[in-house]
Amino acid sequence: MIKSGIVFAQDIIEIKNDEILTYLNKLIEKSTVDSKQLEIFKQRQLFWDESNIIKYFVQVLGYTIIYDNIIYFQSEIQNKFIDKIDYIKNGYKLEKLPKLIYKSEKFIEYKTPAQQQIEKEGFKHSMSLENNLSFWYPKTTKIGFKTPNTIITDFSDDEVKLIKTIKWQSLDEEKILQRIKNNASNREIDLNEKMFIRLGNSSNKFNFNTCHIKDINELYKKLMIMFEDMYFELEWEQNIELVLREYIKTNYQRNTIYNGMPLNTEFRVFYDFDENKILEIFNYWEKDTMLDNLHNQKDLITFANTTHEIESDFARLYPFLKEEVEFKLPSADLKGKWSVDFMYDGKEFVLIDMAHAECSYYYDKVLNKQKILK
């Protein structure tokens, strides 16, 4: 593990921290980089100081640079010579920077063909009412997988207007609770027990403390925080569903990130219901993805200390889930490509979430692996 230096292609050059900027500037002086291109890059920066040269070498030229206990790397490069886990455990921070390409005398952020296709199609699919739990949940409760017992309560048109105009504090708590209690009368869910709360097509998992309540009396308070956190997503909703779910317990304990979310063993399955076949199965907590996108340093360290355990479980359980999916998912009355999320509770796989594949994370990897780009 080099403490400071650069990695480019297969070359690893260890350089003292206080000599890195000098080294990079010497590369510029040797005409290794296009001076005009560099000047245009400088103009893109709100402020320019000497250390910004690192961004240029990383974003434009594809270097990985270790400087001031930070690893600067390009999001399009998976550098096999850098073990991010080791660096995180040794107190380093990760700084992922988007790849830039120089075209027609300007810089634009690079998008892979898969990313371009998803951006083109994803918004349309994300707006589909089929992503709502009320659509797919009834179609999955009797196909053989365990699913959390669930109560779905629609917000009225007037309530939706209050939510979308940032007036959720005006929602009548008693009326909402009464509707939930009425819906719960014939369901196997105890409102006096711990529950998971979410909305119809999304949850507030990045602030996980708002997603679970010890009983129904905590609902309103947590709901207010959830609306505040998720407001920009709710602006586009045609209808909003309030969902209370049985809190699935595991017979194993895991560390937590996102303000309380356990790093349980979870899988994301991409499935084509038209052809009844698995497209791909991913570790929900895929190592490189998590390391590149976790921004809280405490969460990064927690994940680094847990990832081996998660990966071991994923590898062990993968063939069993694959067999169950191939046997059970064809029974669901669904069409098109979907992502299907499963959590392993220590005894069995629990189907916990679904969405159209085109608006689900990791779908770009599916397009790349399956070579089904249009």
Side-chain angles (χ1 to χ4, degrees), residues 36-53:
K36 181 180 179 181
Q37 187 184 93
L38 177 58
E39 285 304 313
I40 292 174
F41 178 82
K42 287 181 178 181
Q43 293 170 17
R44 295 182 85 251
Q45 313 304 312
L46 185 60
F47 299 102
W48 181 265
D49 61 37
E50 194 178 21
S51 64
N52 281 117
I53 199 66

Side-chain angles (χ1 to χ4, degrees), residues 246-279:
E246 171 191 4
Y247 194 89
I248 300 298
K249 299 176 182 178
T250 62
N251 64 7
Y252 57 90
Q253 297 294 318
R254 288 279 169 79
N255 295 324
T256 65
I257 60 172
Y258 299 151
N259 194 16
M261 185 176 192
L263 286 164
N264 295 325
T265 301
E266 296 185 31
F267 305 78
R268 174 156 288 179
V269 178
F270 285 92
Y271 192 84
D272 187 333
F273 284 95
D274 294 336
E275 298 188 16
N276 283 330
K277 71 174 185 179
I278 296 171
L279 300 176

Side-chain angles (χ1 to χ4, degrees), residues 277-289:
K277 71 174 185 179
I278 296 171
L279 300 176
E280 294 291 344
I281 301 178
F282 292 98
N283 177 355
Y284 186 85
W285 305 111
E286 196 268 332
K287 182 172 70 174
D288 283 324
T289 299

